Amino acid sequence: MVFFCLAFVSFANAQQRGGEQKEPPTYAKLLEDMDANEDGKLEESEVKGPLKDEFTKIDTNEDGYISEKEFEDAPKPSGKRK
């Protein structure tokens, strides 16, 4: 009975955290998910979440878009988000 309770608690905790940790998205995946006008670029009005919050820091050449190089060069988040 104790084993069952521990297993249930572990399963419930994993579900609350969204399951296992996922790998960060690739630039291609972000384009697929966020490039609303399908121009092959990520502009501030299209992005969401942490990418939108850090847009001006990531868009280092200040052209209004995040290029693949800018995305790859962007600082990666450290630690867990809450």
Side-chain angles (χ1 to χ4, degrees), residues 1 6 12-13 15-16 20-21 25 27-28 32 35 38 40 42-43 46 48 55-56 62 64-66 69 73 82:
M1 180 70 163
L6 289 175
N13 285 339
Q15 282 190 329
Q16 287 177 347
E20 294 182 26
Q21 283 275 342
Y27 187 76
E32 181 182 314
D35 185 17
E38 299 179 352
L42 291 174
E43 57 189 275
E46 296 174 316
K48 53 191 168 196
F55 191 90
T56 56
E62 300 177 352
Y65 302 97
I66 295 177
K69 175 148 178 43
D73 292 344
K82 292 185 179 185

Side-chain angles (χ1 to χ4, degrees), residues 20-60:
E20 294 182 26
Q21 283 275 342
K22 294 181 180 180
E23 290 294 316
T26 62
Y27 187 76
K29 180 66 175 155
L30 290 175
L31 281 177
E32 181 182 314
D33 293 346
M34 295 185 194
D35 185 17
N37 63 6
E38 299 179 352
D39 64 353
K41 301 175 184 177
L42 291 174
E43 57 189 275
E44 190 169 8
S45 65
E46 296 174 316
V47 298
K48 53 191 168 196
L51 197 56
K52 186 170 191 80
D53 297 340
E54 301 295 322
F55 191 90
T56 56
K57 291 180 185 175
I58 298 169
D59 179 23
T60 55

Side-chain angles (χ1 to χ4, degrees), residues 2-19:
V2 172
F3 174 75
F4 174 75
C5 290
L6 289 175
F8 179 76
V9 168
S10 295
F11 176 74
N13 285 339
Q15 282 190 329
Q16 287 177 347
R17 289 189 309 264

